[in-house]
Amino acid sequence: MYDDSSGRITAGLKEWIATAAPGARLPSTRALVAQYGASPVTVQKALRALAAQGMVETRPGVGTFARTVRVARPNDYGWQTAALGSPQHRVPQLSAALRSVPNDVIALHSGYPDRELLPERLVRTAFARSSRSAAAVSRPPSAGLPELQAWFAAELGAAAPVGVTPPAPSDVVVFPGTQSGLSTVFRALVGAGRPLLVESPTYWGAILAAAQTGVRLVPVPSGPHGPDPAELARAFEQTGARAFYAQPNFANPTGAQWSPDLAGRVLDLVRRHGAFLVEDDWAHDFGLVADPVPLAARDDAGHVVYLRSLTKSVSPAVRIGGVVARGPARARILADAQAEAMYVSGILQAVAVDVVTQPAWRTHLRGLRRQLAARRDLLASALAEHAPPPGSTPCRRAG
């Protein structure tokens, strides 16, 4: 079964090429139209697909030919072992979240929402609009599109209590996803060989970013309600660390959400030690009961560096995240980001800002909350019905 006529023609020509001599000329477009009963456009589509796969080559005015098979000469790459030497930093094993699964398996491990939970219509419309705008052919500013910077700043500023100065758009640096932002923040604010406090357990992506940048991780015990402030204070004092990475809302992998009291105590500790709190707000749009309030909204002295992701809630194809930082910290982060990637795709930024500024975006998030709650309840009831309670012995079927 093939999705369309061009797929059928492509498969047929592959069989023909497999038995043809290298350099053999394919039947003409007119002959293929007659053979497959398809239009010239469909035939050309099939030929382009074969050319993209390196199976044929087209010579204008002459015809299309089966590509000549070149016998590869085996290469010895052993010299690279000596040239590279031992890696300075051991990169952790590939996370299960990045591993592929067979086509007939439903993946529950990727960390991304089901496609039905994404604002697909908004995203498709935004791509169509952005492709016709200047974003498709222009280089954006290194820190990000001004309108996207303004959106990140306004969203965080809306949660700021009275008396706290909200962030300015110029405090925002746009990244191609917050995973990239983590690497830059660790490199710019901590540095290779220096300690970074992290909740234990913590997000595997943060461990990977630390390994890539050579940052030394110092675990701080964290339970279902968040880290122990006494242990955090002890870690600051013993290590002299100047940064603490955490996920105060919906921590990965524990799911913990800090209480306002704990958030205040952690913020006081960070300030007392003249340190940074790297706040990863990866699941900001997935609160089931209420919108989570970032700690960064309570700080205007530059102690909290805030990472906000749009990739999971907008679309995995729109890898966009924002980092909010103030003062010299922001300057260092931007300098590192410029050295790493110079700028983020303008068209992806335009798509992101188009989606999140549409009135339908808020409507989508309200519907998303209801759908997530319903799926959670269904999962809980299924576990209660089919999974054995803790401490019980699973029953066995006779057979």
Side-chain angles (χ1 to χ4, degrees), residues 342-367:
M342 289 195 277
Y343 57 89
V344 180
S345 164
I347 200 164
L348 291 185
Q349 292 188 67
V351 168
V353 74
D354 188 315
V355 171
V356 298
T357 54
Q358 294 292 331
W361 169 246
R362 304 306 306 178
T363 303
H364 164 74
L365 290 182
R366 288 192 292 270

Side-chain angles (χ1 to χ4, degrees), residues 288-316:
L288 301 187
V289 178
D291 293 330
V293 178
L295 261 71
R298 301 165 59 173
D299 171 68
D300 56 6
H303 285 282
V304 181
V305 175
Y306 177 69
L307 292 92
R308 163 72 159 101
S309 174
L310 290 176
T311 303
K312 289 182 172 60
S313 52
V314 173
S315 168

Side-chain angles (χ1 to χ4, degrees), residues 23 71 117 125 213 243 292 307:
V71 179
L117 301 177
T125 303
T213 55
L307 292 92

Side-chain angles (χ1 to χ4, degrees), residues 126 129-131 133-154 168-176 310 318 320-323 330 334 342-357:
R129 270 196 290 261
S130 299
S131 68
S133 72
V137 292
S138 302
R139 169 179 170 166
S142 297
L145 293 181
E147 53 266 44
L148 186 56
Q149 289 180 289
W151 182 86
F152 278 119
S170 58
D171 294 325
V172 178
V173 180
V174 177
F175 281 85
L310 290 176
V318 184
I320 291 294
V323 172
R330 191 262 187 186
L334 178 58
M342 289 195 277
Y343 57 89
V344 180
S345 164
I347 200 164
L348 291 185
Q349 292 188 67
V351 168
V353 74
D354 188 315
V355 171
V356 298
T357 54

Side-chain angles (χ1 to χ4, degrees), residues 189-234:
L189 303 187
V190 182
R194 300 180 66 181
L196 170 68
L197 308 186
V198 296
E199 295 177 283
S200 180
T202 193
Y203 168 48
W204 64 265
I207 297 174
L208 179 62
Q212 290 176 325
T213 55
V215 169
R216 177 167 60 88
L217 295 182
V218 178
V220 176
S222 187
H225 303 295
D228 182 342
E231 292 290 345
L232 179 60
R234 187 176 298 110

